[in-house]
Amino acid sequence: MALDRYAALHASTPQGKGDGRPTADQVLQDQDLVGNHWRDKVILIAGGTAGLGAESARVLHKTGAKTFIMGRDGAKGQRVAKDILAANPDYPPVDVIEMDHNSLQSVRDGAAEFLKRSGGKLNVLMTNAGVVASPVRKTKDGFEAVFGVNYLAPFLLVQLLQPALVASTTPAFHSRLVVVSSAGHRASNIDPGNYNLEEDGYNSSKAYAQSKTATILMANEFERRYGGRGVHGLSLNPGVIMGMEISRGLPGTSASRREQYYKMEPLLAKWEKSVEQGAATQVWASVAKELEGKGGLYLDDVQVAQEAEDAGQYCLPGWKQWIWDEKVAARLWKDSLNMVGLPDEN
Ligand SMILES: NC(=O)c1ccc[n+]([C@@H]2O[C@H](COP(=O)([O-])OP(=O)(O)OC[C@H]3O[C@@H](n4cnc5c(N)ncnc54)[C@H](OP(=O)(O)O)[C@@H]3O)[C@@H](O)[C@H]2O)c1
């Protein structure tokens, strides 16, 4: 299958959510993966208790893979797991693991619990959890909270689970790290030495942008470190999906925020996606045969993204040049190991 098979559907001007752009379900059908084809595989979605993560879990569960979701609210996770299983009762139940990205100890505990329950098997790790604004300024470990939740906790999770990804890789299906980032990365590069945004005053938009740039740099550096061992790192932007819980921490109501976004981004009404469409790129990254053995790519609109033409309009696809900076990525990786208290073994 061609890497650009969905390009034409996105090239014609979108007509708003629910238009002809593919859903995650459509992607799975196109891959001919609905059924029990993935009974031998294990998928873990961090941040699988709501929105795009829950939708990804619902769709990927249809492959027959053993599916795990992680979230900070165990009861909420159980409700999501129950609903998913109810739609496909003959498939393995969805397992829920509690893990709060605000605490590195919680990440260590969650990773250990996952390895115990999965028997050390992991074919696809999706890091999807995210916040745009945090109710607290610092994580339990003292890091700026948006950086900590969106980037540092997933970074630690990746370190703790990379041996399982390496051990589970096969010639037929190389294990995958799928990192859900955002077009918001285009608002700011990272600032090594000021990860906690303590200099020049705090700026919540910069915090989100920096954290999302960091996740892409992580996926690219992961590819450089693990690609040769048959494990690949992909990052992506799901697009703009309005009305999600992720906006909770922002000022205003859901309706007033929507109005404000439409004013700021005139193209949004046509480019916004439904949740089902928003989850398509991350499900494609997880399963697509045309991505087999590939890594270090940034995806958008269910295809490999191009450089952004209008970096200011966040509903449009594309990347900003700084995500390809290998020196900054290597420095961030080393600094992050230091921040989470792990040695650099490479
Ligand atoms: N929606 C968009 O337009 C958009 C655009 C670009 C990128 N994204 C990215 O897509 C991803 C999913 O976003 P979404 O719109 O689906 O948001 P969402 O509905 O709010 O889901 C976010 C997920 O992250 C989890 N999470 C948040 N804080 C956490 C913490 N401290 N510990 C553990 N889990 C935590 C949430 O858990 P709870 O259920 O406990 O809240 C939930 O499962 C995010 O990384 C976001 O940055 C979204």
Side-chain angles (χ1 to χ4, degrees):
M1 269 179 270
L3 276 171
D4 63 351
R5 61 176 305 174
Y6 299 106
L9 285 174
H10 291 93
S12 50
T13 306
Q15 294 301 317
K17 58 183 178 179
D19 63 3
R21 291 168 295 170
T23 61
D25 266 317
Q26 183 65 52
V27 166
L28 204 71
Q29 276 171 35
D30 292 347
Q31 295 289 328
D32 200 17
L33 280 175
V34 181
N36 279 319
H37 310 283
W38 271 28
R39 276 276 178 179
D40 60 339
K41 293 193 177 52
V42 174
I43 298 172
L44 170 61
I45 301 173
T49 53
L52 300 171
E55 176 64 6
S56 300
R58 185 187 73 75
V59 173
L60 289 170
H61 181 250
K62 293 183 182 183
T63 62
K66 178 68 192 165
T67 307
F68 290 79
I69 57 174
M70 282 176 153
R72 60 190 153 168
D73 182 340
K76 185 177 180 182
Q78 292 298 349
R79 288 195 294 277
V80 172
K82 200 170 146 215
D83 287 351
I84 293 173
L85 189 64
N88 288 300
D90 296 336
Y91 290 10
V94 174
D95 262 30
V96 180
I97 294 175
E98 269 187 55
M99 188 180 79
D100 185 351
H101 285 210
N102 267 302
S103 155
L104 294 178
Q105 187 53 48
S106 180
V107 177
R108 289 184 201 102
D109 294 345
E113 182 62 23
F114 167 76
L115 291 171
K116 195 169 83 186
R117 287 200 222 166
S118 73
K121 188 160 187 186
L122 181 57
N123 302 97
V124 177
L125 168 59
M126 182 190 292
T127 60
N128 172 79
V131 289
V132 281
S134 170
V136 293
R137 277 288 296 278
K138 301 258 179 198
T139 65
K140 290 202 171 125
D141 307 276
F143 297 102
E144 188 283 313
V146 175
F147 180 75
V149 168
N150 290 1
Y151 167 70
L152 204 55
F155 175 83
L156 176 57
L157 187 68
V158 167
Q159 302 309 312
L160 298 174
L161 298 186
Q162 57 79 9
L165 287 166
V166 172
S168 308
T169 204
T170 66
F173 186 83
H174 282 188
S175 304
R176 298 184 189 190
L177 167 65
V178 175
V179 174
V180 180
S181 183
S182 169
H185 81 268
R186 301 198 300 249
S188 175
N189 196 355
I190 61 162
D191 184 0
N194 189 25
Y195 298 124
N196 290 311
L197 300 178
E198 279 155 346
E199 292 163 22
D200 306 329
Y202 182 76
N203 176 330
S204 60
S205 305
K206 180 162 181 178
Y208 183 71
Q210 163 175 265
S211 74
K212 287 300 179 180
T213 293
T215 61
I216 303 171
L217 293 168
M218 170 180 76
N220 292 344
E221 182 67 14
F222 183 91
E223 176 63 23
R224 284 187 279 280
R225 289 180 176 236
Y226 293 97
R229 291 190 237 173
V231 184
H232 299 283
L234 297 160
S235 58
L236 63 99
N237 167 41
V240 176
I241 304 95
M242 303 285 278
M244 308 298 273
E245 291 178 23
I246 198 166
S247 302
R248 278 178 297 212
L250 295 171
T253 61
S254 181
S256 69
R257 284 194 295 265
R258 180 179 282 267
E259 201 180 318
Q260 195 192 350
Y261 281 131
Y262 282 145
K263 269 192 201 144
M264 282 182 336
E265 300 217 14
L267 297 173
L268 182 56
K270 293 208 160 172
W271 281 80
E272 76 170 298
K273 294 177 180 174
S274 65
V275 180
E276 293 81 3
Q277 291 171 316
T281 304
Q282 59 212 71
V283 164
W284 186 64
S286 302
V287 301
K289 295 177 183 77
E290 55 270 34
L291 288 169
E292 181 53 32
K294 294 187 169 56
L297 302 173
Y298 175 76
L299 314 173
D300 216 332
D301 283 345
V302 204
Q303 59 195 295
V304 178
Q306 308 292 319
E307 186 162 13
E309 281 173 22
D310 182 350
Q313 290 277 298
Y314 294 107
C315 60
L316 298 179
W319 42 260
K320 211 55 190 278
Q321 189 60 41
W322 49 63
I323 66 167
W324 305 118
D325 190 326
E326 295 188 18
K327 270 195 190 150
V328 171
R331 160 121 191 235
L332 175 67
W333 187 278
K334 277 181 188 292
D335 289 348
S336 304
L337 285 170
N338 197 24
M339 286 186 264
V340 300
L342 287 175
D344 189 354
E345 281 160 2
N346 282 285

